[in-house]
């Protein structure tokens, strides 16, 4: 039987590039004569921009520190042990770079077991142990504290979570077992499943305390000092920690059932992590911690060797790294300053854009439109949204007044845009309309101003073709809802110059958007893939497969919503328009569905109706059903799914050949940030590789083995 030290030594050899966390032990006398205390500080030697993590060597260092304090506790030399982090960071969990390298189930099991063996020693010491959550704590950082006897949290703590399920893992160093036994199953399921599957929602310090995870909360400024005063009180008996009793009856079972319903609604059974976590929570009801830890080890090892986690880590790295350093973007030093923004149009999309530019750039923003009523409505929308932010306490009165003062509307483009540096149009999606608008803007805008278009599918080069300076036109395609979806497709036209492109990327960064460079190809990235995806589903319906079967066919992808619900969100008319644009460009692959046309002509908002009687579940609208003209080819769910995935794989293959984006990674980044495709798919290409679709259709994988998959 290997010792913990041997396990960790073996794991450390597999991961030579680990950023190693030290565990420094220092001693001092507690206030009020409470006795000599040992404090362990976790620190990787870097500032807060490189958070502290637990790789194998880091766990070994903590293990060594516990050897020391264990001996001191046994000898009566100390009265307690505390654990805290470096400034702003407690610890953010396992080092995922090491997880990516694991090739064997036994190595994965060693990581789970190694973490448990080290952390569990904290609860077995001869003296009480205290975790002081001074800063960001996630995953294993949260769990090391759960193994302590008591916990305090800083009011200033910005982020606290168990994000494992979001990535395709389970909280596997005690989270699934200890947390429900500490705060009850309902609250634990909320933290482990609900927050995680809601785009990794974070808790603040106050919520950590209110949930009962921490026993006390203190101001950030003197957090450690106050925690030590409180610790002295606990140790000398002047402070009593009371925790409500955990309900181990029906409430526990109901919480697990609720967790399964949340998982079903988010991933539709398509990703195993949430269900594995819930199995462990369910079994933790009897309070047998060791049994729970063993189950966590097994689940961790199984999931580490599965495709979902590899796709999750791949997706996480795309968003965190590639998304921040866009492939193909010009030198950022070429970017020009933007001190005023013009928006052509004052409809809903234009007003949302105006609000975003105003809030993020904090520079004057001016809207124009064809009549005063529209202009006033656009400015009014922005003012109303600022008032909502004020009402929610997100901004103060001064900031609200300043922002309102910076947004204006005019009818005369010359008056509005003469000193604007960046002008974006959000008018009707028609080439002649957009060309006319750009001609008017170019006549009055300064020579250096960027002219950006929010087109979703039209050619940026054609739009710029009649201008004197087409080099300053750039595609700047946002996704709805603008405030939520991070993607910005930045389109380089045939004549777009580097300075204009660099400015567009610099603005995207200030807007806190993920800019991805795309070639000026029909419908760019997301709309082209989604239109091919939806188009194939529509073809299958038109040929004769029932709507419900076609929809259910793609459920195993675990998409945020079904295709026809998405069509409703986008709007059938817009869906039809994009399919017509792509049909003109690629008539052999993109069809225009006569049934979709009929739905649009009938003025229907979608295929479904929602009634209170059936709990607002989507039901095929009888009026739409009467419009549908179907053939007699009926496919099974599996046949339908194969058809749809084959079509998507073919389209992505062609887009990469055309150089629409630099690599398959950019396709995935676009789908994750622009269409909400799940992390557990890694976007789409890892899934197509994993299911054998890429090779079936294109004769090769999109990604090399080991990228978003277990290394060979």
């Amino acid at each position: 039987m290997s010792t913990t030290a041997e396990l960790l030594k073996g794991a450390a050899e597999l991961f030579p590039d680990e950023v190693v966390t030290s565990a420094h032990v220092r001693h001092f006398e507690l206030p009020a004569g409470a006795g000599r205390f040992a404090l362990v500080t976790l620190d990787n030697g870097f500032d807060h921009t490189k958070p502290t993590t637990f790789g194998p060597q880091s766990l070994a260092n903590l293990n060594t520190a516990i050897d020391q304090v264990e001996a001191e506790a046994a000898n009566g030399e100390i009265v307690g042990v505390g654990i805290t982090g470096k400034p702003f960071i407690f610890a953010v969990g396992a080092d995922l770079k090491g997880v990516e390298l694991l090739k064997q189930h036994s190595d994965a099991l060693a990581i789970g077991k190694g973490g448990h063996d080290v952390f569990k020693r904290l609860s077995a010491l001869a003296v009480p142990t205290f975790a002081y959550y001074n800063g960001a704590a996630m995953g294993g950082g949260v769990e090391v504290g759960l193994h302590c006897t008591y916990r305090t949290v800083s009011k200033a703590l910005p982020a606290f979570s168990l994000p494992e399920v979001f990535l395709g893992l389970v909280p596997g160093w005690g989270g699934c077992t200890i947390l429900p036994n500490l705060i009850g199953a309902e609250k634990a399921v909320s933290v482990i499943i609900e927050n995680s599957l809601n785009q990794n929602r974070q808790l603040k310090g106050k919520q950590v305390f209110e949930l009962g995870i921490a026993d006390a909360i203190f101001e950030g400024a003197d957090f450690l000092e106050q925690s030590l005063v409180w610790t002295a009180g606990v140790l000398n008996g002047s402070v009593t920690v009371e925790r409500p009793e955990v309900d181990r009856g029906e409430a526990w079972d109901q919480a697990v059932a609720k967790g399964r319903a949340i998982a079903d609604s988010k991933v539709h059974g398509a990703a195993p992590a949430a269900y594995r976590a819930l199995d462990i929570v369910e079994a933790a009801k009897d309070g047998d911690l060791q049994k729970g830890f063993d189950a966590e080890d097994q689940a961790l090892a199984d999931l580490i060797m599965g495709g979902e986690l590899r796709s999750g880590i791949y997706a996480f790295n795309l968003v965190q790294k590639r998304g921040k350093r866009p492939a193909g973007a010009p030198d950022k030093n070429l970017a020009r300053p933007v001190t005023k923004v013009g928006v052509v149009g004052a409809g809903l999309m234009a007003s949302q854009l105006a609000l975003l530019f105003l809030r993020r750039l904090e520079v004057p923003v001016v809207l124009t439109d064809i009549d005063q009523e529209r202009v006033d409505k656009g400015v009014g929308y922005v003012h109303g949204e600022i008032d909502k932010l004020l009402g929610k306490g997100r901004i103060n009165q001064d900031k609200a007044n300043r922002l309102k003062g910076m947004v204006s509307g005019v009818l005369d483009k010359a008056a509005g845009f003469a000193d604007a540096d960046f002008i974006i149009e959000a008018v009707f999606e028609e080439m002649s309309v957009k060309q006319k608008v750009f001609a008017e803007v170019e006549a009055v805008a300064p020579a250096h101003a960027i002219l950006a278009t929010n087109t979703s599918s039209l050619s940026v080069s054609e739009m710029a073709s009649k201008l004197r300076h087409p080099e300053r036109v750039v595609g700047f395609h946002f996704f709805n809802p603008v405030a939520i979806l991070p993607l910005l497709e930045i389109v380089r036209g045939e004549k777009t110059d580097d300075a204009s492109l660099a400015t567009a990327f610099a603005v995207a960064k200030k807007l806190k958007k993920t800019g991805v460079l795309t070639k000026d190809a029909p419908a760019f990235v997301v709309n082209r893939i989604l239109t091919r995806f939806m188009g194939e589903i529509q073809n299958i319906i038109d040929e004769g497969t029932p709507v419900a079967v076609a929809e259910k066919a793609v459920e195993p992808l675990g998409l945020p919503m079904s295709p026809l619900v998405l069509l409703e969100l986008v709007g059938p008319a817009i869906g039809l328009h994009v399919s017509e644009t792509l049909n003109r460009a690629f008539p052999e692959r993109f069809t225009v569905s006569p049934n979709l046309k009929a739905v649009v002509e009938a003025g229907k908002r979608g295929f479904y109706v929602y009634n209170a009687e059936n709990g607002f579940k989507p039901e095929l609208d009888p009026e739409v059903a009467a419009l549908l003209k179907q053939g007699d080819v009926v496919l099974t769910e599996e046949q339908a799914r194969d058809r749809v995935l084959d079509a998507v794989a073919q389209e992505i293959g062609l887009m990469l050949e055309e150089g629409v984006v630099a690599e398959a990674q950019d396709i995935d980044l676009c789908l994750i940030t622009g269409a909400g495709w799940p992390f557990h798919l890694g976007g789409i290409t890892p899934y197509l590789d994993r299911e054998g679709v890429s090779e079936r259709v294109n004769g090769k994988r999109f990604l090399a083995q080991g990228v978003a998959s277990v290394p060979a």
Side-chain angles (χ1 to χ4, degrees):
M1 188 73 180
S2 300
T3 64
T4 302
E6 285 165 352
L7 272 179
L8 293 171
K9 187 167 182 286
E13 283 164 8
L14 296 171
F15 183 22
D17 299 327
E18 176 185 349
V19 176
V20 177
T21 298
S22 302
H24 306 290
V25 182
R26 58 193 173 109
H27 297 86
F28 44 79
E29 293 295 323
L30 283 170
R36 190 164 182 261
F37 191 74
L39 182 68
V40 180
T41 304
L42 303 169
D43 191 348
N44 61 5
F46 293 92
D47 69 12
H48 64 279
T49 58
K50 200 163 213 170
T52 306
T53 51
F54 291 119
Q57 187 54 55
S58 306
L59 285 172
N61 289 347
L62 180 57
N63 201 43
T64 304
I66 296 172
D67 284 342
Q68 180 187 336
V69 296
E70 184 180 59
E72 293 169 354
N75 294 334
E77 295 166 22
I78 53 174
V79 292
V81 175
I83 186 164
T84 193
K86 66 184 184 182
F88 310 111
I89 305 287
F90 182 77
V92 298
D95 192 323
L96 293 176
K97 291 195 294 297
V99 172
E100 284 176 275
L101 302 171
L102 298 174
K103 298 180 186 180
Q104 306 293 332
H105 192 276
S106 55
D107 294 334
L109 200 60
I111 285 290
K113 209 170 151 10
H116 271 132
D117 287 352
V118 175
F119 289 0
K120 183 164 93 172
R121 297 180 66 197
L122 289 164
S123 56
L125 293 178
V127 294
T129 49
F130 298 79
Y132 307 128
Y133 290 125
N134 64 303
M138 292 168 209
V142 168
E143 289 169 304
V144 70
L146 292 178
H147 284 268
C148 294
T149 328
Y150 304 99
R151 285 155 295 281
T152 67
V153 67
S154 165
K155 267 187 194 169
L157 182 142
F160 182 104
S161 64
L162 289 171
E164 287 84 352
V165 167
F166 178 64
L167 292 171
L169 272 178
V170 298
W173 283 341
C176 290
T177 305
I178 301 174
L179 193 63
N181 278 292
L182 176 69
I183 62 173
E186 189 184 356
K187 290 176 181 174
V189 164
S190 168
V191 175
I192 296 167
I193 305 296
E194 193 169 8
N195 289 354
S196 202
L197 289 178
N198 274 323
Q199 295 299 314
N200 189 19
R201 188 195 289 152
Q202 300 293 320
L203 298 169
K204 299 270 195 284
K206 186 165 175 273
Q207 294 164 295
V208 174
F209 173 64
E210 286 167 355
L211 282 166
I213 299 171
D215 301 302
I217 183 167
F218 301 109
E219 293 292 344
D222 57 352
F223 169 69
L224 192 56
E225 291 85 339
Q226 291 301 321
S227 292
L228 292 170
V229 169
W230 181 85
T231 298
V234 171
L235 291 171
N236 66 25
S238 63
V239 171
T240 309
V241 173
E242 289 177 7
R243 296 179 186 145
E245 198 167 329
V246 169
D247 186 337
R248 297 181 187 280
E250 206 178 312
W252 194 290
D253 303 331
Q254 284 171 348
V256 172
K258 182 187 170 194
R260 291 193 199 285
I262 292 166
D264 286 344
S265 73
K266 292 287 184 181
V267 300
H268 311 286
Y275 303 97
R276 290 296 292 266
L278 287 162
D279 289 345
I280 301 167
V281 172
E282 187 172 34
K285 185 178 175 180
D286 63 6
D288 183 340
L289 297 186
Q290 189 52 53
K291 190 178 79 181
F293 296 163
D294 292 342
E296 287 175 352
D297 287 344
Q298 203 54 54
L300 264 188
D302 292 349
L303 292 166
I304 285 171
M305 299 317 291
E308 182 207 357
L309 170 69
R310 306 298 171 138
S311 296
I313 294 174
Y314 164 81
F316 186 76
N317 287 336
L318 287 182
V319 172
Q320 294 298 321
K321 294 175 183 166
R322 194 179 185 93
K324 292 180 169 60
R325 287 190 285 280
D331 180 350
K332 59 178 187 285
N333 295 321
L334 296 171
R336 293 194 282 259
V338 172
T339 59
K340 184 179 179 183
V341 172
V343 182
V344 187
L348 183 59
M349 188 66 177
S351 305
Q352 287 182 53
L353 295 180
L355 178 69
L356 181 71
F357 278 93
L358 182 67
R359 283 199 65 203
R360 297 279 183 245
L361 271 59
E362 294 194 16
V363 299
V365 174
V366 61
L367 296 114
T368 68
D369 213 315
I370 52 174
D371 59 54
Q372 194 62 45
E373 192 184 340
R374 291 181 201 212
V375 169
D376 292 346
K377 194 177 172 191
V379 173
Y381 169 86
V382 177
H383 282 196
E385 292 300 307
I386 292 167
D387 285 336
K388 282 183 198 168
L389 292 169
L390 178 65
K392 288 178 187 165
R394 303 267 295 279
I395 54 174
N396 61 25
Q397 189 67 58
D398 280 356
K399 181 89 175 265
N401 294 345
R402 199 165 77 247
L403 289 175
K404 282 185 182 177
M406 283 198 283
V407 63
S408 60
V410 293
L411 287 176
D412 179 7
K413 290 188 182 69
F417 297 159
D419 55 350
D421 307 301
F422 192 99
I423 300 161
I424 184 165
E425 68 73 27
V427 298
F428 187 65
E429 192 73 347
E430 179 71 54
M431 183 57 77
S432 58
V433 175
K434 290 185 185 283
Q435 284 181 330
K436 180 173 179 285
V437 159
F438 269 159
E440 290 169 0
V441 170
E442 188 182 48
V444 298
H448 69 272
I450 306 298
L451 308 185
T453 168
N454 182 43
T455 182
S456 58
S457 60
L458 300 175
S459 166
V460 174
S461 306
E462 191 183 336
M463 220 176 283
S465 61
K466 297 182 177 174
L467 298 179
R468 291 195 309 278
H469 293 288
E471 70 278 0
R472 58 179 171 156
V473 177
V474 66
F476 213 60
H477 178 217
F478 289 86
F479 288 79
N480 228 339
V482 168
I484 294 168
L485 289 174
L487 179 64
L488 237 180
E489 289 178 339
I490 299 181
V491 187
R492 179 171 213 149
E494 283 168 21
K495 301 271 177 70
T496 310
D497 64 20
D498 281 356
S500 302
L501 204 58
T503 307
F505 273 102
V507 169
K509 194 170 184 178
K510 281 192 178 152
L511 294 174
K512 298 190 176 169
K513 295 294 179 188
T514 301
V516 175
L517 179 63
T518 137
K519 188 178 162 185
D520 186 19
F524 318 124
V525 179
V526 172
N527 283 345
R528 179 160 163 187
I529 293 169
L530 287 186
T531 305
R532 185 75 197 274
F533 175 77
M534 307 277 277
E536 203 54 47
I537 287 168
Q538 195 72 59
N539 291 343
I540 289 164
I541 293 169
D542 293 354
E543 289 164 20
T545 299
V547 169
V549 175
E551 285 262 86
K552 210 162 172 355
V554 293
E555 262 190 10
L557 289 169
L559 298 175
M561 62 189 77
S562 78
L564 293 181
V565 174
L566 175 65
L567 182 68
E568 217 166 278
L569 186 74
V570 170
I574 292 173
L576 179 66
H577 175 78
V578 177
S579 70
E580 287 169 341
T581 302
L582 282 158
N583 171 256
R584 286 194 294 275
F586 310 114
E588 68 289 355
R589 298 193 312 280
F590 287 86
T591 51
V592 177
S593 162
N595 281 323
L596 179 59
K597 216 168 188 170
V599 167
V600 172
E601 282 166 3
K604 303 302 287 183
R605 292 182 54 191
F607 277 62
Y608 293 129
V609 286
Y610 302 85
N611 298 311
E613 297 90 81
N614 75 340
F616 296 102
K617 288 195 178 78
E619 272 181 9
L620 190 61
D621 183 340
E623 290 178 23
V624 170
L627 292 171
L628 294 182
K629 291 186 170 56
Q630 291 183 280
D632 53 11
V633 178
V634 180
L635 301 184
T636 65
E637 282 177 29
E638 196 175 348
Q639 289 169 326
R641 183 164 56 252
D642 283 349
R643 273 256 313 257
V644 172
L645 292 177
D646 285 4
V648 170
Q650 183 195 32
E651 203 56 42
I652 293 171
L654 291 165
M655 289 167 71
L656 292 170
E657 276 175 29
E658 290 169 29
V660 175
V661 287
E663 290 180 291
Q665 280 88 332
D666 294 311
I667 300 267
D668 293 321
L669 181 57
C670 285
L671 285 174
I672 292 163
T673 55
W677 278 41
F679 264 56
H680 68 258
L681 293 187
I684 183 64
T685 68
Y687 179 81
L688 295 171
D689 285 351
R690 199 158 72 228
E691 297 294 310
V693 182
S694 315
E695 293 195 40
R696 181 170 77 226
V697 175
N698 300 323
K700 61 181 182 187
R701 296 168 62 94
F702 286 114
L703 301 167
Q705 186 72 41
V707 178
S709 56
V710 177

